[in-house]
Amino acid sequence: MSKGKNGMVVALALLLVSCGGAAPSGSPIGGGPRYRTVRELLRGGDQPLPREQLLEIARFIRHWERDPFLPTTPPNPEQTPSTMALMLTWLAESPDVSVAMCPATVTLAEEQAGEGAATGFLMGAGFGMAAYMIENPAEAADPEGPRVQGAGLESGLLWFEAYYARNQARGAPILEELVELRNEGGRAALQQYHADHIRCGRHTGEPLP
């Protein structure tokens, strides 16, 4: 596990606990009969997975982020561990993706509006970056780069909006600014925002001067 991924998963786990341990589930997808449950979809995830299975995981994430509160397909009938716990375990153990979180956006949102302003955002960003790297294997070599990080911003905003719509997240000017930016320019605009305003690596998540 990379240092970046380890920090990412710890942060996500802490956020999950801070949200009362609730594990939202996602919206329907065509997972197909091969994967009858989320557990089956992620089976063997601590080892390199076939490309076909990784793409199914990416599709699962993409449909999940449309509304993390709707039931998933494939489902997680046992709910022990929760869908969130299963996905976090996969993210932590997978040798196929290495997620690096630059938390500048979350930090600024909480400075502006207090704790809970970015609820859901961090989890969505992490899973979104993983999906993007599966969909774009060439980008996986630069998890701290603006293309991967901008894709994370895009997914994080979808999760934030779902939480905000259910009064489970507080708004913040930075998040409103990013939603507007996304609405105007899509993922490319968020990728450019990251390139212009945030740097990772040794100064992880430190805003640029």
Side-chain angles (χ1 to χ4, degrees):
M1 180 188 305
S2 71
K3 181 178 180 182
K5 182 189 290 185
N6 184 50
M8 169 73 192
V9 173
V10 169
L12 291 176
L14 289 174
L15 180 57
L16 184 61
V17 171
S18 72
C19 296
S25 55
S27 54
I29 68 168
R34 180 176 177 184
Y35 304 109
R36 294 174 297 176
T37 66
V38 176
R39 191 188 297 271
E40 286 189 12
L41 175 66
L42 302 176
R43 182 169 294 161
D46 58 342
Q47 301 294 323
L49 294 176
R51 177 74 178 151
E52 179 182 344
Q53 188 175 354
L54 287 172
L55 287 172
E56 284 296 327
I57 293 173
R59 292 186 191 105
F60 179 89
I61 292 170
R62 291 306 184 200
H63 286 266
W64 193 22
E65 68 187 14
R66 294 177 187 174
D67 190 333
F69 290 88
L70 295 180
T72 60
T73 303
N76 180 23
E78 296 88 357
Q79 283 296 326
T80 305
S82 67
T83 301
M84 182 64 69
L86 289 170
M87 289 295 292
L88 285 172
T89 299
W90 167 76
L91 190 62
E93 297 180 348
S94 173
D96 295 303
V97 295
S98 180
V99 171
M101 176 57 71
C102 302
T105 302
V106 172
T107 300
L108 181 55
E110 293 186 345
E111 288 175 356
Q112 292 176 339
E115 186 177 356
T119 298
F121 178 91
L122 189 62
M123 291 181 285
F127 294 129
M129 283 187 279
Y132 180 80
M133 287 187 284
I134 291 171
E135 296 160 347
N136 303 273
E139 304 289 351
D142 188 16
E144 297 179 349
R147 295 180 68 83
V148 174
Q149 293 292 321
L153 289 176
E154 181 183 44
S155 295
L157 291 174
L158 291 173
W159 278 64
F160 161 73
E161 288 175 308
Y163 275 77
Y164 184 80
R166 291 168 173 80
N167 297 315
Q168 296 196 32
R170 301 174 61 183
I174 181 59
L175 298 176
E176 295 168 6
E177 175 186 344
L178 290 175
V179 167
E180 183 176 350
L181 188 65
R182 178 207 61 195
N183 292 344
E184 293 177 352
R187 179 184 294 169
L190 295 173
Q191 291 171 329
Q192 189 60 50
Y193 173 89
H194 181 90
D196 292 341
H197 296 286
I198 301 174
R199 63 186 173 197
C200 300
R202 188 165 61 86
H203 302 288
T204 300
E206 180 181 344
L208 290 170

